[in-house]
């Protein structure tokens, strides 16, 4: 018979649990049932865990243990029908089909390959094989299971079902003692001496043991009525099993094979759907599978050993995914916070207490770890549409993660919490907004970040990671607190200057420019000025500045401090009363420094090139040209036309708006008509990029409202249709400041 080693998809086999995968729950007829006391649980017994010399087997991270033997083990995964046989010593092995099983005697291991027309049993010590014929036609033998060195088949003749044992190198024989009427027979390993037989007898479901040496059925018991299934393990002296009786709170029972006496093992009251049990020496071992990926804490997640004689219990591992028994111990695919994920072997030490040894490492932690991050050293919020994705990688996803970004200078923070992300990572798609208590955008400058990941399953400590980055944006002409968004300045009747931040909310229709909730007082005494103009950076700092002209014609520079306020004023010079219009915030000379433009009362336009020096911010004026007296408003608009130079907007007395494209040498091209109807506006403010799309925008203020004209980047039609804003144009008797 050709052995079946190919990766042909076959029916998925039932998963092995701590000792054997049997979906039955056992009871005892004629036994005495007693419940052990729970007060002695979790006593001071300790497990000896050794992690040295473990073989690295990374595939174990995603694999579950199916069978375990003396020389190796078999694993499978949830997303594959294939299995893998692996040696303990070096991690080498081979892949096989799903219907491959590992069976063991006290001295050797066997791989059993089940095919449609035959079963092959391979002795892994001698590499010899034996074949057993099976088929699916009436009267042909069918595979019933395997245990130790024997394959079991059933044959039905004239309505009588016979169970046959096919030992390696021996003669097949009928198993004696099978109860009359037994149907639906299934055989699985129990101990090196016995196999576990499950069957139905009429309407009743039963189990029994098969003496492998004698080929005889013995110790027949009946399943509990109404039980929905559970796990079972057998030793030479005891049988342990679980029952849930259609409830999420399982019970564990222990049978003394010598007396048929049964008693209940005390468990923490907790939910369980896959509680696995095993026997190691005189100890009962149990644990609820799936704890590593669970989203809830559960005391049953821990692999726990219980001593029925003393009532003492000891935690062996923090969790398990799967496990199987071998003649030399109990193997568990699980993990501990101290030693990580891997394959562990549980045996008894010299004092009879459990000893846990790590056989293989999966190369993965059991505790939550933050394994890496994608946080750039510099976050440029002018790129990628003003948004940056910050990501932190986790060892697992069943966490509650808290991300905190903190601006070093101001202490303002962004805090985001994510619970059980879909992938083992947490991300923050950050556009620089929502920092502090209101809607203020994040300031530029140095930041710290902290990520705290708390395991939802309670396994292991909280994981933390920290780092730094710097936020940068290009300077905005009306940004005085260095956060990349325009600010609104207003002066009240008492001469006090107020600042309000703005933000562009994308949640409202096509977006809306909205004023921040809190106004900040800049200072008093500003009623001495008859003209205040935002100029962008002219003093050499990376934030916006102001120039203010007093009633005697002296121009003063207020250099922005980046915190929404200004440094002590610096005298620029006198004689500025000759100008009726002053505007700044554009680089019209192409040297990278903002310049100032002013028209005198005879209609001549003058250019004051910026120097970048706060002590002498402008060089000598240059005459641009005459005829500008026809305009009642001038606005240095930055780059509207797509060229490198700054542009100029002018409104005539008929309310027509004109665009003068800058040439980059301090002069302008011939004007282009933008449109009419601009007369009702009292102020036109080139606020910079208000909507974070990389294009310059214009705010128009009137006694009845404030409007945003978003830039298009096209000089022939530089603005979209106006949008209503959430800006307070002249509330609280305040006058807007340009």
């Amino acid at each position: 018979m050709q052995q079946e080693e190919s990766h042909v998809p076959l029916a998925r086999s039932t998963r092995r649990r701590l000792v054997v995968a049997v979906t039955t729950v056992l009871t005892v007829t004629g036994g005495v049932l007693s419940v052990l006391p729970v007060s002695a649980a979790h006593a001071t017994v300790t497990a000896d865990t050794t992690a040295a010399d473990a073989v690295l087997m990374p595939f174990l991270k995603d694999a579950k243990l199916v069978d375990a033997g003396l020389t190796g083990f078999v694993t499978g995964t949830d997303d594959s029908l294939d299995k893998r046989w692996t040696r303990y010593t070096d991690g080498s092995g081979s892949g096989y089909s799903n219907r491959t099983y590992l069976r063991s005697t006290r001295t050797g291991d066997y791989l059993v390959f089940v095919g449609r027309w035959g079963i092959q049993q391979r002795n892994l010590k001698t590499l010899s094989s034996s074949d057993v014929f099976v088929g699916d036609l009436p009267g042909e033998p069918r595979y019933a299971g395997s245990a130790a060195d024997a394959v079991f088949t059933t044959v039905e003749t004239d309505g009588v079902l016979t169970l046959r044992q096919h030992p390696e190198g021996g003669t097949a024989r009928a198993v004696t003692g099978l109860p009359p009427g037994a149907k639906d027979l299934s055989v699985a390993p129990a101990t090196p001496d016995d196999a576990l037989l499950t069957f139905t007898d009429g309407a009743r479901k039963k189990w029994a043991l098969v003496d492998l040496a004698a080929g005889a059925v013995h110790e027949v018991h009946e399943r509990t009525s109404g039980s929905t299934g559970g796990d079972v393990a057998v030793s030479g002296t005891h049988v342990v099993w679980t029952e849930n009786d259609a409830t999420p709170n399982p019970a564990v029972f222990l049978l003394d094979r010598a007396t048929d006496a049964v008693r209940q093992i005390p468990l923490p009251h907790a939910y369980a759907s896959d509680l696995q049990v095993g026997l190691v020496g005189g100890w009962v071992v149990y644990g609820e599978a799936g704890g590593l990926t669970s989203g809830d804490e559960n005391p049953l997640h821990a692999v726990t050993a219980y001593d029925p004689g003393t009532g003492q219990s000891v935690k062996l591992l923090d969790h398990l995914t799967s496990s199987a028994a071998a003649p030399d111990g109990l193997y568990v695919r699980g993990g501990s916070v101290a030693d990580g994920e891997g394959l562990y072997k549980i045996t008894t030490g010299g004092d009879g207490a459990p000893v846990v040894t790590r056989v293989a490492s999966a190369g993965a932690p059991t505790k939550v770890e933050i394994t890496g991050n994608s946080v750039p050293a510099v976050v440029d919020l002018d790129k990628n549409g003003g948004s940056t994705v910050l990501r932190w990688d986790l060892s697992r996803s069943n966490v509650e993660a808290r991300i905190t970004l903190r601006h070093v200078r101001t202490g303002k923070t962004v805090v985001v919490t994510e619970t059980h992300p879909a992938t083992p990572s947490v991300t923050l798609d950050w556009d620089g907004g929502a920092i502090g208590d209101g809607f203020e955008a994040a300031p530029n400058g140095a930041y710290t970040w902290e990520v705290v990941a708390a395991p939802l399953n309670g396994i292991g400590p909280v994981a933390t990671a920290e780092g730094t980055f710097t936020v940068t944006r290009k300077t905005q002409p009306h940004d005085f607190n260095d956060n990349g968004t325009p600010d609104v300045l207003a002066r009240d009747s008492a001469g006090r200057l107020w600042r309000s931040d703005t933000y562009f909310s994308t949640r409202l229709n096509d977006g809306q420019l909205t004023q921040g909730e809190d106004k900040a007082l800049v200072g008093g005494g500003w009623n001495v000025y008859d003209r205040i103009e935002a100029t962008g950076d002219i003093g050499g700092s990376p934030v916006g500045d102001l120039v203010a002209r007093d009633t005697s014609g002296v121009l003063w520079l207020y250099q922005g401090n980046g915190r929404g306020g200004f440094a002590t004023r610096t005298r620029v010079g006198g004689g500025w009363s000759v100008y009726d219009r002053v505007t700044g915030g554009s680089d019209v000379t192409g040297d990278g420094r903002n310049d100032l433009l002013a028209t005198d009362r005879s209609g001549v336009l003058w250019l004051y090139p910026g120097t970048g020096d706060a002590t002498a911010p402008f060089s000598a004026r240059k005459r641009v040209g005459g005829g500008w007296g026809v305009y009642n408003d001038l606005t240095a608009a930055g780059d509207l036309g797509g060229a490198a130079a700054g542009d100029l907007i002018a409104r005539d007395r008929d309310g027509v708006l004109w665009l003068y494209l800058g040439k980059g040498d301090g002069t302008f091209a011939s004007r282009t008509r933008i449109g009419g109807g601009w007369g009702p506006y009292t102020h036109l403010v080139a606020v910079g990029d208000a909507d974070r799309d990389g294009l310059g925008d214009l705010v128009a203020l009137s006694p009845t409202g404030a409007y945003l004209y978003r830039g298009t980047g096209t000089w022939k039609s530089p603005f979209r249709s106006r949008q209503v804003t959430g800006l307070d144009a002249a509330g609280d008797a305040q006058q807007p400041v340009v």
Side-chain angles (χ1 to χ4, degrees):
M1 182 189 72
Q2 179 68 35
Q3 75 177 41
E4 189 172 88
E5 299 187 31
S6 64
H7 296 268
V8 178
L10 299 173
R12 185 181 298 274
S13 65
T14 306
R15 183 177 59 194
R16 287 290 297 279
R17 297 180 181 172
L18 278 176
V19 172
V20 60
V22 179
T23 55
T24 61
V25 174
L26 312 180
T27 188
V28 176
T29 56
V32 179
L33 180 65
S34 62
V35 180
L36 295 174
V38 298
S39 59
H42 296 284
T44 58
V45 179
T46 58
D48 177 18
T49 303
T50 303
D53 301 324
V55 180
L56 179 62
M57 301 182 189
F59 74 89
L60 282 174
K61 180 179 179 181
D62 301 313
K64 292 184 178 181
L65 185 61
V66 178
D67 295 314
L70 297 170
T71 60
F73 58 98
V74 171
T75 54
T77 61
D78 288 337
D79 58 357
S80 174
L81 293 177
D82 299 329
K83 291 180 179 177
R84 174 189 170 97
W85 149 256
T86 304
R87 293 176 180 83
Y88 297 125
T89 53
D90 57 7
S92 64
S94 302
Y96 297 104
S97 73
N98 186 55
R99 300 186 70 190
T100 300
Y101 307 96
L102 175 63
R103 302 295 183 248
S104 301
T105 65
R106 283 190 173 85
T107 59
D109 290 335
Y110 299 82
L111 282 178
V112 178
F113 306 99
V114 179
R116 182 176 181 181
W117 304 111
I119 302 110
Q120 183 183 89
Q121 182 174 249
R122 179 188 299 170
N123 187 320
L124 294 179
K125 184 175 183 179
T126 65
L127 299 183
S128 61
S129 299
S130 58
D131 298 328
V132 177
F133 169 73
V134 293
D136 55 8
L137 298 177
E140 293 182 336
R142 303 193 180 192
Y143 178 67
S146 52
D149 65 346
V151 171
F152 290 84
T153 61
T154 58
V155 177
E156 186 171 3
T157 305
D158 297 330
V160 177
L161 192 65
T162 301
L163 178 64
R164 296 183 62 82
Q165 181 182 3
H166 305 263
E168 183 201 24
T171 303
R173 60 183 175 183
V175 175
T176 62
L178 186 67
K183 300 289 185 182
D184 305 318
L185 276 60
S186 179
V187 179
T191 72
D193 299 317
D194 291 299
L196 181 67
L197 172 66
T198 59
F199 59 96
T200 59
D201 185 358
R204 295 174 296 180
K205 297 182 179 180
K206 296 183 179 181
W207 66 274
L209 297 178
V210 178
D211 186 320
L212 294 173
V217 174
H218 64 117
E219 299 185 40
V220 179
H221 302 284
E222 188 172 340
R223 283 182 55 178
T224 302
S225 176
S227 173
T228 60
D231 193 23
V232 59
V234 183
S235 73
T237 58
H238 291 84
V239 179
V240 65
W241 69 92
T242 65
E243 291 182 0
N244 56 31
D245 292 328
T247 69
N249 299 302
V252 173
F253 296 98
L254 182 67
L255 163 71
D256 186 327
R257 292 178 60 183
T259 64
D260 265 1
V262 178
R263 48 183 172 174
Q264 187 173 350
I265 304 299
L267 296 177
H269 186 75
Y271 175 86
S273 62
D274 191 11
L275 185 68
Q276 302 186 16
V277 293
L279 292 165
V280 176
W283 296 70
V284 176
V285 179
Y286 62 85
E288 167 71 3
L292 186 66
T293 57
S294 174
D296 300 295
E297 295 186 34
N298 188 331
L300 291 175
H301 286 158
V303 180
T304 302
Y306 180 85
D307 184 355
T310 65
Q312 295 177 319
S313 65
V314 56
K315 177 181 173 181
L316 304 179
L317 295 168
D318 287 298
H319 83 96
L320 64 85
T321 68
S322 48
S323 47
D328 60 345
L330 182 64
Y331 288 84
V332 175
R333 165 62 188 94
S336 71
V337 170
D339 296 325
E341 294 298 288
L343 182 65
Y344 289 83
K345 182 180 180 180
I346 303 173
T347 57
T348 54
D351 60 356
V355 176
V356 181
T357 305
R358 190 174 64 167
V359 176
S361 169
T366 296
K367 63 183 178 181
V368 173
E369 291 184 352
I370 300 171
T371 58
N373 68 81
S374 296
V375 180
V378 176
V379 175
D380 188 344
L381 290 176
D382 287 325
K383 295 181 178 180
N384 304 318
S387 180
T388 298
V389 177
L390 311 178
R391 190 186 80 243
W392 292 265
D393 299 320
L394 306 171
S395 59
R396 50 187 169 93
S397 61
N398 54 332
V399 301
E400 181 178 84
R402 185 180 73 249
I403 303 168
T404 302
L405 310 182
R406 185 180 303 277
H407 186 238
V408 173
R409 177 172 57 81
T410 64
K412 294 180 178 180
T413 60
V414 176
V415 180
V416 177
T417 300
E418 185 172 2
T419 300
H420 213 141
T423 61
S425 64
V426 289
T427 59
L428 175 58
D429 189 355
W430 191 46
D431 62 357
I435 191 167
D437 297 330
F439 295 98
E440 184 176 333
N444 293 321
Y447 280 76
T448 63
W449 60 260
E450 179 189 57
V451 175
V452 178
L456 295 174
N457 59 7
I459 297 176
V462 170
T464 61
E466 298 175 341
T468 62
F469 64 93
T470 300
V471 168
T472 182
R473 309 176 183 85
K474 62 184 178 183
T475 302
Q476 295 277 7
H478 279 258
D479 175 22
F480 302 110
N481 60 347
D482 195 25
N483 69 347
T485 61
D487 298 324
V488 175
L489 294 176
R491 180 175 56 183
D492 64 21
S493 58
R496 293 175 299 182
L497 190 66
W498 299 86
R499 182 189 62 82
S500 297
D501 203 0
T502 68
Y503 68 97
F504 190 80
S505 174
T506 58
R507 299 178 181 178
L508 302 172
N509 300 321
D510 192 29
Q512 185 182 67
L513 184 64
T514 303
Q515 193 164 314
E517 294 180 344
D518 298 325
K519 292 183 295 185
L521 177 64
V522 175
W526 289 80
N527 50 356
V528 300
Y529 301 114
D530 63 7
R531 186 75 182 182
I532 300 173
E533 178 70 21
T535 61
D537 169 30
I538 60 173
S541 63
V543 293
D545 304 323
L546 287 181
V547 292
R549 184 182 66 187
D550 63 25
T551 54
S552 64
V554 176
L555 191 69
W556 301 88
L557 167 65
Y558 283 87
Q559 192 172 9
N561 60 16
R563 297 184 291 274
F566 301 93
T568 303
R569 69 181 187 175
T570 300
R571 191 178 190 272
V572 176
W576 288 78
S577 57
V578 300
Y579 300 117
D580 58 357
R581 298 285 180 267
V582 177
T583 185
S586 282
D587 172 22
V588 299
T589 59
D591 61 358
R593 296 187 289 266
N594 285 334
D595 309 308
L596 202 66
L597 293 162
T599 56
D600 63 24
R601 301 186 191 283
S602 63
V604 176
L605 179 66
W606 298 90
L607 166 66
Y608 284 83
T611 66
D613 182 359
T615 61
F618 305 110
S619 58
R621 72 178 187 174
K622 297 180 180 180
R623 189 179 190 273
V624 177
W628 291 80
V630 299
Y631 301 117
N632 60 15
D633 200 353
L634 293 179
T635 303
D639 173 23
L640 293 179
D647 305 321
L648 186 64
I649 292 175
R651 183 183 62 186
D652 64 26
R653 289 178 171 81
D654 294 327
V656 177
L657 201 64
W658 302 87
L659 171 64
Y660 286 85
L661 292 175
K663 295 181 179 180
D665 59 358
T667 65
F668 300 93
S670 300
R671 69 181 187 176
T672 300
R673 189 178 191 274
I674 294 176
W678 293 78
Y681 297 125
T682 58
H683 295 81
L684 299 177
V685 185
V687 294
D689 183 11
D691 59 358
R692 305 291 301 281
D693 65 353
L695 303 173
D697 305 314
L698 189 71
V699 168
L701 304 173
S702 74
T704 59
Y707 306 93
L708 175 66
Y709 288 85
R710 299 169 66 182
T712 65
T714 302
W715 67 271
K716 292 184 178 180
S717 180
F719 300 113
R720 303 184 196 180
S721 300
R722 76 176 188 178
Q723 292 180 332
V724 175
T725 72
L727 303 182
D728 184 3
D732 300 330
Q734 294 178 352
Q735 296 179 349
V737 172
V738 181

